[in-house]
Structures are given as structure tokens and as C-alpha cells.
Amino acid sequence: MYPEHPGRAPVERPVTAYQPTPIPPAVIVQSAPMVPVQPGAVPSVASIVLPDGRVVTGYAIEPAKPEPLAVKPPVSRAAVNVALGGVGFLAVCGGLLLLTTFITALTALITQLITLAAVIFGGWIAVQIFKPHGHQGGSTVNIRKAIFKRNHFHG
């Protein structure tokens, strides 16, 4: 099964022999005489008739009582794990809600700044367009070489 190694000699190991320790015989000390004592209650005797007609009589054996179970904690570990998972999930959802609220507020701020810039720039353009250029009396518009002066046509 295992390959043999022809070039090696077997190794000798020292052998330790253990001897059993004899136990001295028990010494019975008679300090008081043995007195038979009646049990507190006489156990009940049960008789069973076997199918072949024989009768077996004996003392009833009390069923073995199981050992009491270890005291369980008032809350199971699974319930604690589920509750902690729920708290973690709610924390993540709350964080995401705050993040989306922050992004929405930032978007509204940027939109308002753009609108404000458009109003200011548009107002400046309107002032430049409608500002009188040396004419004191009314607006002048040249359309196809016709001159319109405020409600009057001059051809």
C-alpha cells in the first residue's frame, strides 16, 4: 500500500510500560447497626396479563421527567434581528428622502437664480430698446421707409 524505503533503517523508539495502581479494598466501619426502614409510601404493584396467559407483576416505574428547558429570553433573537433590520431600512429611507429633498431645494434655488438673471438682463435690454435716442417727443419706428410718430403717419 505504501512504498517501502529500502535505503532507510527502521527507527527504534523507547517504549514506556505503565503498571496499574492497585486500589485498596474498602473498609467497612460499623458505627451503628443497620436497621431496615419502611418507605414513606408503599409503591403500587402492577400486574399485566400476557397474550399467552402468563401474569407479570411488578412495581410501576415512574416515567422519566424531562429536564427543565433553559430559560428563553423574553424576546427571540430573530425578532431582534428583524427589528434592527427594520430600523436600518428606515434610516436608509429617511436619508434618501432627505437627499432628494436637498436636491429638489437646490434645483429650485438654481431655477430662481436663472429666472432672476433673465429678468434683470431682460429689463436692461428693454431699457436699451425703449430709451429715447435724442428725440424728446415720442417713439419713432421706421418700417419700409415710412415714419410713424405716435399715432400719426408721415409719408
Side-chain angles (χ1 to χ4, degrees), residues 53-147:
R54 293 181 294 164
V55 176
V56 178
T57 304
Y59 292 105
I61 299 173
E62 291 184 27
K65 295 179 182 176
E67 295 184 19
L69 297 174
V71 178
K72 289 186 176 181
V75 179
S76 69
R77 291 181 188 267
V80 171
N81 290 341
V82 168
L84 289 177
V87 169
F89 179 75
L90 288 177
V92 168
C93 288
L96 289 175
L97 180 66
L98 289 176
L99 180 64
T100 55
T101 304
F102 174 74
I103 291 172
T104 304
L106 188 63
T107 304
L109 175 68
I110 292 172
T111 304
Q112 288 178 354
L113 289 176
I114 290 172
T115 304
L116 179 65
V119 166
I120 291 173
F121 185 68
W124 181 78
I125 291 175
V127 166
Q128 296 301 318
I129 289 175
F130 296 119
K131 182 168 68 170
H133 297 287
H135 300 290
Q136 293 294 334
S139 300
T140 303
V141 178
N142 295 327
I143 299 176
R144 294 185 188 163
K145 297 184 180 179
I147 299 173

